[in-house]
Amino acid sequence: MKNILVPVGSSKNALSHLQYAVDFAEAFGAKLFVVQVYNVYTKAGTMIKVDHIIERESLEFLNDLVSQIDIKGVDVVVKTLKGKLIDTLELACKAADVDLVLIEPRTNSIKDEVYLGKTSGKIIKQMDVPALIVPEGYKFSKPSNILMAIKSAIIRKDNVLNPLEAIKARFNATVDLLLVKTPYYNDGDFDVSKDLNTVISKVTKTENATTFQGVLEHFQSHNPDMLCVVRRKRGFFVKKWEKNTILKRDFHSSIPVLVLSGLK
């Protein structure tokens, strides 16, 4: 894991989140890209040079945040980017060969009941880049027990397990696999591939309406300090991903959540 990207919003948790990102990047010797995306919608002939003002203020804001944290020798690159959020972040990820995106659960929501706000929800729902959701105020600690919850162990994409393998290797963590049989189960879904089998230590099988419910049922017995799920059309949070905002009553995690891109 060489390049990590951190989109920064206007939340009160920004400093805590950036410090976690630095600590995480330090563990891998990775470069950290701290970015803020802005967009301006104006009528022709109005608001002349407003782009330059917003870009300057955004850059000052980011530099001020970075000056308040301990960068610990990590190579931190600060960038302001203009454009639509998802398109711009995806371009940035490709240009910088980003391995992982670190996001806050709710980057600018003021509602206490919100787990993923509109911005963070869009990133998780629409971007096909591995992401790590870090709880608000969470201080970095080495994960020792990761619970991976999926409804199908079939893997067709190359390198999709890379983030999980990197975290497991770097922190010498154990990975327990929770296979959830849902109404969408197909023959062969529980056949664990060779690549996945080399990562996991223990397999638990359960039957639930959704992968999400399977996690709720087995979370305490596994007591993980990191959760790993998969982004797919009918994967984790299938209904909850339909809206960008996700409420705490629907899901709330007190530990980091690693979201892999689809396995198939």
Side-chain angles (χ1 to χ4, degrees), residues 77-259:
V77 179
V78 175
K79 292 283 187 181
T80 56
L81 306 170
K82 180 187 174 183
K84 294 182 179 179
L85 178 68
I86 301 303
D87 292 343
T88 303
L89 288 178
E90 286 184 335
L91 286 173
C93 286
K94 289 180 181 179
D97 195 20
V98 167
D99 301 296
L100 187 70
V101 177
L102 263 62
I103 68 167
E104 302 178 64
R106 46 177 195 165
T107 52
N108 49 24
S109 174
I110 60 174
K111 296 181 180 179
D112 286 338
E113 68 270 20
V114 171
Y115 171 63
L116 283 185
K118 289 183 178 180
T119 301
S120 50
K122 277 184 179 180
I123 293 172
I124 289 296
K125 178 181 177 181
Q126 300 177 29
M127 286 186 66
D128 193 26
V129 178
L132 183 66
I133 306 171
V134 183
E136 293 175 84
Y138 194 88
K139 292 185 179 180
F140 174 78
S141 61
K142 297 178 181 180
S144 59
N145 183 17
I146 303 171
L147 177 62
M148 182 182 188
I150 54 178
K151 78 177 190 68
S152 174
I154 298 173
I155 298 176
R156 296 198 180 108
K157 285 187 178 179
D158 295 333
N159 305 319
V160 71
L161 295 175
N162 281 3
L164 179 61
E165 292 171 339
I167 292 172
K168 170 187 166 65
R170 177 62 62 182
F171 302 118
N172 195 28
T174 60
V175 180
D176 293 340
L177 179 63
L178 179 65
L179 290 171
V180 185
K181 186 176 182 180
T182 72
Y184 300 99
Y185 175 84
N186 295 310
D187 289 340
D189 277 347
F190 281 9
D191 295 340
V192 179
S193 68
K194 182 179 178 181
D195 288 343
L196 182 55
N197 199 48
T198 59
V199 177
I200 59 177
S201 301
K202 182 173 67 174
V203 178
T204 302
K205 297 179 181 179
T206 183
E207 187 168 347
N208 299 91
T210 64
T211 314
F212 171 68
Q213 290 181 9
V215 169
L216 292 181
E217 181 181 334
H218 292 270
F219 190 87
Q220 289 188 343
S221 62
H222 286 269
N223 192 30
D225 43 29
M226 181 176 286
L227 178 64
C228 177
V229 297
V230 175
R231 179 194 296 111
R232 55 154 55 104
K233 290 181 180 180
R234 297 211 63 85
F236 198 71
F237 293 151
V238 54
K239 292 183 178 179
K240 297 171 182 59
W241 278 166
E242 290 173 1
K243 292 182 178 180
N244 291 326
T245 300
I246 297 173
L247 302 180
K248 286 183 179 178
R249 69 167 180 262
D250 295 323
F251 177 77
H252 175 61
S253 177
S254 58
I255 61 174
V257 180
L258 176 64
V259 184

Side-chain angles (χ1 to χ4, degrees), residues 65-77:
L65 285 178
V66 172
S67 72
Q68 297 179 59
I69 62 173
D70 182 3
I71 64 173
K72 300 182 175 182
V74 172
D75 186 2
V76 179
V77 179

